[in-house]
Amino acid sequence: MFYFLRILILFFGLFKFAPPAMAENFSTDMVVLTGQCSKAICLPPYRREVIYEIAGSDSGNSVIKRLKAAAIDQAQIWADTILEGDYATDYKTRLDKAVAFFYGGSLVAYYITYSEGAWDTGTCKYDGINDSTLTGCKPGRIVESVYLSPDFSDYHFVEEDYARFVAY
């Protein structure tokens, strides 16, 4: 009997060190965050801080370098999505903006916007091989945004932020 009680006490003691059985995942947390924060402001206890903008930000920061690498990784998905349509890009991914979101004092997510120079090939006679045939195509950028977990292991997309062509 004593052995059984020791095992039971040990078992219940583990609960205080284990995450809750119904712990939220990153996407669920981001649904809550997007309900509390717009593109410009957050309701307390959330807050947002712009940490990078293409013009005038320090790109030597290690976090910014990781965010740029994440942008390049995410843009690779476009080959199976928007680029299957009437668009071609220059394959030069650019981090346009990065925002850090906090809950109280804790970082909960990054929100990055990235883009590539692009052409609407439905408006010209692009042959898919020769870049000179892009002449006459409507120029612009393919732009997309995504939420990243603080450790860069999870991504969360919001439908209105999916890749889209923005003409010049």
Side-chain angles (χ1 to χ4, degrees), residues 13-26:
L14 291 175
F15 278 112
K16 72 177 185 179
F17 299 111
M22 300 298 286
E24 302 289 329
N25 65 30
F26 182 69

PDB file of all heavy atoms in Angstrom, residues 13-26:
ATOM      1  N   GLY A  13       2.322  14.845  -8.512  1.00  0.00           N
ATOM      2  CA  GLY A  13       3.346  15.876  -8.411  1.00  0.00           C
ATOM      3  C   GLY A  13       3.850  16.313  -9.763  1.00  0.00           C
ATOM      4  O   GLY A  13       4.273  17.457  -9.945  1.00  0.00           O
ATOM      5  N   LEU A  14       3.798  15.441 -10.748  1.00  0.00           N
ATOM      6  CA  LEU A  14       4.246  15.787 -12.092  1.00  0.00           C
ATOM      7  C   LEU A  14       3.342  16.818 -12.760  1.00  0.00           C
ATOM      8  O   LEU A  14       3.774  17.549 -13.634  1.00  0.00           O
ATOM      9  CB  LEU A  14       4.337  14.533 -12.971  1.00  0.00           C
ATOM     10  CG  LEU A  14       5.435  13.545 -12.609  1.00  0.00           C
ATOM     11  CD1 LEU A  14       5.327  12.309 -13.492  1.00  0.00           C
ATOM     12  CD2 LEU A  14       6.804  14.175 -12.777  1.00  0.00           C
ATOM     13  N   PHE A  15       2.075  16.875 -12.355  1.00  0.00           N
ATOM     14  CA  PHE A  15       1.146  17.802 -12.990  1.00  0.00           C
ATOM     15  C   PHE A  15       1.560  19.261 -12.840  1.00  0.00           C
ATOM     16  O   PHE A  15       1.326  20.063 -13.714  1.00  0.00           O
ATOM     17  CB  PHE A  15      -0.282  17.627 -12.464  1.00  0.00           C
ATOM     18  CG  PHE A  15      -1.007  16.513 -13.127  1.00  0.00           C
ATOM     19  CD1 PHE A  15      -1.345  15.372 -12.426  1.00  0.00           C
ATOM     20  CD2 PHE A  15      -1.346  16.600 -14.461  1.00  0.00           C
ATOM     21  CE1 PHE A  15      -2.009  14.343 -13.044  1.00  0.00           C
ATOM     22  CE2 PHE A  15      -2.009  15.566 -15.095  1.00  0.00           C
ATOM     23  CZ  PHE A  15      -2.347  14.431 -14.377  1.00  0.00           C
ATOM     24  N   LYS A  16       2.185  19.618 -11.710  1.00  0.00           N
ATOM     25  CA  LYS A  16       2.546  21.018 -11.546  1.00  0.00           C
ATOM     26  C   LYS A  16       3.701  21.419 -12.454  1.00  0.00           C
ATOM     27  O   LYS A  16       3.921  22.586 -12.684  1.00  0.00           O
ATOM     28  CB  LYS A  16       2.859  21.347 -10.083  1.00  0.00           C
ATOM     29  CG  LYS A  16       4.130  20.791  -9.560  1.00  0.00           C
ATOM     30  CD  LYS A  16       4.347  21.242  -8.121  1.00  0.00           C
ATOM     31  CE  LYS A  16       5.694  20.776  -7.629  1.00  0.00           C
ATOM     32  NZ  LYS A  16       5.966  21.190  -6.291  1.00  0.00           N
ATOM     33  N   PHE A  17       4.451  20.445 -12.979  1.00  0.00           N
ATOM     34  CA  PHE A  17       5.569  20.738 -13.874  1.00  0.00           C
ATOM     35  C   PHE A  17       5.222  20.531 -15.338  1.00  0.00           C
ATOM     36  O   PHE A  17       5.936  20.961 -16.207  1.00  0.00           O
ATOM     37  CB  PHE A  17       6.782  19.857 -13.525  1.00  0.00           C
ATOM     38  CG  PHE A  17       7.274  20.076 -12.130  1.00  0.00           C
ATOM     39  CD1 PHE A  17       7.129  19.104 -11.167  1.00  0.00           C
ATOM     40  CD2 PHE A  17       7.854  21.278 -11.774  1.00  0.00           C
ATOM     41  CE1 PHE A  17       7.571  19.311  -9.877  1.00  0.00           C
ATOM     42  CE2 PHE A  17       8.300  21.497 -10.490  1.00  0.00           C
ATOM     43  CZ  PHE A  17       8.159  20.515  -9.537  1.00  0.00           C
ATOM     44  N   ALA A  18       4.126  19.873 -15.609  1.00  0.00           N
ATOM     45  CA  ALA A  18       3.735  19.580 -16.984  1.00  0.00           C
ATOM     46  C   ALA A  18       2.833  20.692 -17.516  1.00  0.00           C
ATOM     47  O   ALA A  18       2.122  21.338 -16.753  1.00  0.00           O
ATOM     48  CB  ALA A  18       2.999  18.237 -17.048  1.00  0.00           C
ATOM     49  N   PRO A  19       2.856  20.935 -18.825  1.00  0.00           N
ATOM     50  CA  PRO A  19       1.926  21.914 -19.379  1.00  0.00           C
ATOM     51  C   PRO A  19       0.504  21.395 -19.243  1.00  0.00           C
ATOM     52  O   PRO A  19       0.291  20.196 -19.146  1.00  0.00           O
ATOM     53  CB  PRO A  19       2.340  22.007 -20.853  1.00  0.00           C
ATOM     54  CG  PRO A  19       3.106  20.777 -21.127  1.00  0.00           C
ATOM     55  CD  PRO A  19       3.702  20.325 -19.823  1.00  0.00           C
ATOM     56  N   PRO A  20      -0.466  22.278 -19.203  1.00  0.00           N
ATOM     57  CA  PRO A  20      -1.852  21.829 -19.080  1.00  0.00           C
ATOM     58  C   PRO A  20      -2.222  20.877 -20.207  1.00  0.00           C
ATOM     59  O   PRO A  20      -1.738  21.020 -21.333  1.00  0.00           O
ATOM     60  CB  PRO A  20      -2.666  23.120 -19.182  1.00  0.00           C
ATOM     61  CG  PRO A  20      -1.701  24.231 -19.000  1.00  0.00           C
ATOM     62  CD  PRO A  20      -0.341  23.710 -19.308  1.00  0.00           C
ATOM     63  N   ALA A  21      -3.086  19.938 -19.893  1.00  0.00           N
ATOM     64  CA  ALA A  21      -3.478  18.937 -20.883  1.00  0.00           C
ATOM     65  C   ALA A  21      -4.145  19.581 -22.093  1.00  0.00           C
ATOM     66  O   ALA A  21      -4.067  19.067 -23.196  1.00  0.00           O
ATOM     67  CB  ALA A  21      -4.418  17.912 -20.253  1.00  0.00           C
ATOM     68  N   MET A  22      -4.792  20.722 -21.888  1.00  0.00           N
ATOM     69  CA  MET A  22      -5.480  21.395 -22.987  1.00  0.00           C
ATOM     70  C   MET A  22      -4.714  22.647 -23.425  1.00  0.00           C
ATOM     71  O   MET A  22      -5.295  23.676 -23.739  1.00  0.00           O
ATOM     72  CB  MET A  22      -6.906  21.778 -22.549  1.00  0.00           C
ATOM     73  CG  MET A  22      -7.759  20.591 -22.141  1.00  0.00           C
ATOM     74  SD  MET A  22      -8.010  19.429 -23.479  1.00  0.00           S
ATOM     75  CE  MET A  22      -9.165  20.317 -24.463  1.00  0.00           C
ATOM     76  N   ALA A  23      -3.390  22.583 -23.434  1.00  0.00           N
ATOM     77  CA  ALA A  23      -2.573  23.756 -23.791  1.00  0.00           C
ATOM     78  C   ALA A  23      -2.922  24.235 -25.196  1.00  0.00           C
ATOM     79  O   ALA A  23      -3.145  23.447 -26.103  1.00  0.00           O
ATOM     80  CB  ALA A  23      -1.093  23.414 -23.715  1.00  0.00           C
ATOM     81  N   GLU A  24      -2.948  25.548 -25.369  1.00  0.00           N
ATOM     82  CA  GLU A  24      -3.264  26.142 -26.665  1.00  0.00           C
ATOM     83  C   GLU A  24      -2.078  25.975 -27.610  1.00  0.00           C
ATOM     84  O   GLU A  24      -0.940  26.022 -27.193  1.00  0.00           O
ATOM     85  CB  GLU A  24      -3.555  27.629 -26.489  1.00  0.00           C
ATOM     86  CG  GLU A  24      -4.682  27.958 -25.545  1.00  0.00           C
ATOM     87  CD  GLU A  24      -6.035  27.582 -26.108  1.00  0.00           C
ATOM     88  OE1 GLU A  24      -6.196  27.627 -27.330  1.00  0.00           O
ATOM     89  OE2 GLU A  24      -6.907  27.237 -25.330  1.00  0.00           O
ATOM     90  N   ASN A  25      -2.351  25.846 -28.893  1.00  0.00           N
ATOM     91  CA  ASN A  25      -1.256  25.819 -29.863  1.00  0.00           C
ATOM     92  C   ASN A  25      -1.093  27.208 -30.476  1.00  0.00           C
ATOM     93  O   ASN A  25      -1.886  28.112 -30.220  1.00  0.00           O
ATOM     94  CB  ASN A  25      -1.491  24.741 -30.926  1.00  0.00           C
ATOM     95  CG  ASN A  25      -2.698  25.021 -31.789  1.00  0.00           C
ATOM     96  OD1 ASN A  25      -3.067  26.160 -32.022  1.00  0.00           O
ATOM     97  ND2 ASN A  25      -3.318  23.973 -32.277  1.00  0.00           N
ATOM     98  N   PHE A  26      -0.060  27.381 -31.260  1.00  0.00           N
ATOM     99  CA  PHE A  26       0.286  28.701 -31.793  1.00  0.00           C
ATOM    100  C   PHE A  26      -0.848  29.291 -32.631  1.00  0.00           C
ATOM    101  O   PHE A  26      -1.175  30.480 -32.488  1.00  0.00           O
ATOM    102  CB  PHE A  26       1.585  28.610 -32.599  1.00  0.00           C
ATOM    103  CG  PHE A  26       2.039  29.929 -33.137  1.00  0.00           C
ATOM    104  CD1 PHE A  26       2.505  30.915 -32.286  1.00  0.00           C
ATOM    105  CD2 PHE A  26       1.997  30.198 -34.490  1.00  0.00           C
ATOM    106  CE1 PHE A  26       2.929  32.151 -32.769  1.00  0.00           C
ATOM    107  CE2 PHE A  26       2.417  31.419 -34.987  1.00  0.00           C
ATOM    108  CZ  PHE A  26       2.877  32.399 -34.123  1.00  0.00           C
TER     109      PHE A  26
END
